[in-house]
Amino acid sequence: MENKIQHMAFHDYLTGLPNRTYLYKYLKKTIEQVNLKQLTFSVMFLDLDEFKSVNDNYGHAAGDLLLQQAARRLTGCVRENDLVARVGGDEFVVVLSPATERSDEVAIAQRIISKLNSPFQLGEFQAQISTSIGIAHYPQHGPDSDQILKCADSAMYAAKEQGKNK
């Protein structure tokens, strides 16, 4: 029972992914580790474009199915040592393992965009969405979790303003 309560406290009920609370603990630990080893790491902030229209047109049950499928696709796009978290609504964060090469970072972002562009089967409905991704780097874009996430979030909104799906 204690394990179940612990899991519920740190994981999203719908997707099973780590939640915002877990993400902050993970980022704090990662920052401590990379500071000791003088490494860097990257954070991707993702928002599902057109998600609201899925809820509006097909209902919240279909939206929930889409979020669950998107979570599975996201975890399939990253490596074993990367973290995918759902931070609320249709927003996700990917923390890439320290010292990830920029070329790998770009390849992962492109893989995520490609996988999330594929149609989602939502019961009797099919929906197509895209995603906008913002990327921030520690320590270049901030000294702590809040600043890194804020910077990645701002970059994600910039991608949306440039036409989404970027």
Side-chain angles (χ1 to χ4, degrees):
M1 186 65 145
E2 191 173 315
N3 286 341
K4 187 174 182 175
I5 292 170
Q6 184 80 353
H7 186 270
M8 288 171 49
F10 294 108
H11 290 81
D12 175 60
Y13 72 97
L14 184 63
T15 63
L17 292 175
N19 62 18
R20 182 182 301 271
T21 303
Y22 184 95
L23 173 65
Y24 272 93
K25 289 179 83 142
Y26 183 85
L27 284 171
K28 182 179 179 187
K29 182 180 173 185
T30 302
I31 288 170
E32 289 169 0
Q33 290 173 344
V34 299
N35 284 342
L36 288 173
K37 298 177 183 177
Q38 296 182 335
L39 297 172
T40 64
F41 69 94
S42 303
V43 172
M44 296 180 176
F45 201 104
L46 294 79
D47 182 79
L48 304 181
D49 304 324
E50 295 91 35
F51 178 73
K52 183 182 179 325
S53 67
V54 171
N55 274 339
D56 291 348
N57 293 323
Y58 306 119
H60 290 279
D64 288 351
L65 282 174
L66 190 143
L67 290 170
Q68 291 167 338
Q69 291 176 32
R72 284 193 295 277
R73 289 184 190 186
L74 285 170
T75 56
C77 290
V78 299
R79 299 154 309 178
E80 188 176 322
N81 293 333
D82 299 331
L83 175 80
V84 177
R86 179 174 175 222
V87 294
D90 63 339
E91 295 178 331
F92 297 85
V93 170
V94 176
V95 181
L96 299 177
S97 57
T100 297
E101 297 291 326
R102 294 287 165 102
S103 59
D104 292 336
E105 175 184 291
V106 170
I108 290 168
Q110 290 172 335
R111 191 165 46 242
I112 288 170
I113 288 170
S114 175
K115 290 289 185 185
L116 292 180
N117 276 338
S118 297
F120 288 83
Q121 191 63 45
L122 309 173
E124 61 189 64
F125 307 110
Q126 193 174 65
Q128 183 116 20
I129 63 162
S130 60
T131 189
S132 297
I133 303 174
I135 303 173
H137 304 99
Y138 177 85
Q140 179 183 353
H141 294 120
D144 57 36
S145 303
D146 287 329
Q147 287 299 311
I148 294 298
L149 288 171
K150 183 178 179 181
C151 188
D153 187 37
S154 294
M156 182 268 301
Y157 277 105
K160 279 190 175 297
E161 289 174 7
Q162 294 174 15
K164 301 181 181 178
N165 203 36
K166 299 181 182 302

